[in-house]
Amino acid sequence: MTEEEEESLKRKVKQVVEGDINEAEILRNGGVNKGAWTAEEDQKLAQVIAIHGAKRWKSIAAKAGLNRCGKSCRLRWLNYLRPNIKRGNISDQEEDLILRLHKLLGNRWSLIAGRLPGRTDNEIKNYWNSHLSKKMNQQSEKERRKGCKRKVNTESREEETSQERENSSNLEYDVDNLFDFSNEGPDLEWMSNFL
DNA sequence: AACAACCTCAACCGCATCAGA
DNA sequence: GTCTGATGCGGTTGAGGTTGT
């Protein structure tokens, strides 16, 4: 267990010990508990999923005796409790892949996450919003500035590039077909070959 | 030391889509 | 064909942590 994981576990245990599950709060939310999950809730949820599988989330919530909606349980499982989840430290290779895939797919986080084993769509979305979007903005700002400098000699090049743009826009492909992963393993080979 | 500003990320919300009755 | 509940997805929020002044 990494230090990071250990710290987060300690925090959760503290929440339970200190009784952060506030019953008045639960009642205010119409009997549904909201907010941070406790270690106890995680444990209950994991146990029920181990027995009944990760489907019918509403009944999972009920079976686990959690005052949570099914959606909340599903999210918790997918983003946190599911086995083989990698946490933190997105590698350079992964970052590069995210950038390329985002260029290709836009904000289709679940598709992007599908190509990064152990990563969740939520994590990638967060990573993009907090790290990469800034990076991209800086990059495009740089390019914009460069573009201004070069403006003088672009007149003749303009015709050429508009032709290129037209050609590339003709290069349409069905992203959903392209990303039919049903027969593939979780390795990155496919993508590196493709890109 | 105290406070503000900023950052990160877990969790929620609303909407779209799917599947079964 | 349509209704309804379940599921999936992307956008957004807010608590807690970190950094700067």
Side-chain angles (χ1 to χ4, degrees):
Chain A
M1 185 189 279
T2 66
E3 273 181 43
E4 208 176 304
E5 287 165 341
E6 203 173 328
E7 272 309 305
S8 133
L9 191 62
K10 276 181 192 167
R11 272 202 300 276
K12 280 184 229 155
V13 170
K14 192 165 169 264
Q15 278 183 315
V16 175
V17 171
E18 290 175 356
D20 276 2
I21 316 168
N22 185 340
E23 284 179 26
E25 186 72 33
I26 293 172
L27 286 173
R28 266 201 299 280
N29 287 322
V32 180
N33 189 13
K34 290 184 180 182
W37 281 67
T38 65
E40 199 185 357
E41 286 177 302
D42 282 347
Q43 203 187 346
K44 283 180 183 171
L45 180 62
Q47 273 172 0
V48 172
I49 288 172
I51 296 164
H52 297 98
K55 54 190 169 186
R56 320 243 350 140
W57 292 104
K58 210 173 172 181
S59 71
I60 285 177
K63 281 176 184 139
L66 299 167
N67 290 315
R68 298 269 183 182
C69 64
K71 258 183 168 185
S72 179
C73 294
R74 175 184 162 270
L75 206 67
R76 184 62 179 171
W77 173 254
L78 291 177
N79 290 338
Y80 197 86
L81 298 173
R82 194 162 48 110
N84 307 323
I85 282 200
K86 273 193 221 167
R87 305 199 68 76
N89 293 345
I90 299 231
S91 67
D92 289 348
Q93 194 198 3
E94 286 174 313
E95 185 180 304
D96 187 51
L97 198 51
I98 294 168
L99 284 166
R100 285 159 186 261
L101 287 169
H102 187 270
K103 213 170 181 178
L104 191 66
L105 301 166
N107 296 358
R108 296 173 77 172
W109 306 116
S110 60
L111 275 181
I112 295 174
R115 301 315 303 172
L116 290 152
R119 301 293 184 187
T120 67
D121 52 354
N122 208 32
E123 191 181 12
I124 288 167
K125 182 169 60 182
N126 282 333
Y127 189 72
W128 177 270
N129 288 334
S130 55
H131 297 90
L132 300 180
S133 62
K134 277 180 215 154
K135 225 179 193 179
M136 294 298 281
N137 282 342
Q138 281 169 3
Q139 217 171 51
S140 57
E141 181 66 18
K142 263 187 195 172
E143 271 164 26
R144 199 180 59 78
R145 288 207 186 111
K146 256 192 197 171
C148 288
K149 278 186 188 171
R150 278 191 312 208
K151 203 181 175 185
V152 185
N153 6 314
T154 50
E155 298 275 10
S156 60
R157 173 91 183 117
E158 195 64 39
E159 270 180 45
E160 241 176 273
T161 51
S162 66
Q163 183 65 44
E164 277 168 17
R165 267 199 299 276
E166 207 175 312
N167 288 342
S168 70
S169 69
N170 288 336
L171 189 71
E172 282 181 4
Y173 36 83
D174 181 351
V175 168
D176 294 321
N177 264 341
L178 196 62
F179 282 80
D180 178 12
F181 306 137
S182 47
N183 299 322
E184 287 183 88
D187 57 307
L188 299 177
E189 212 176 322
W190 172 93
M191 184 51 66
S192 48
N193 288 339
F194 173 73
L195 297 168

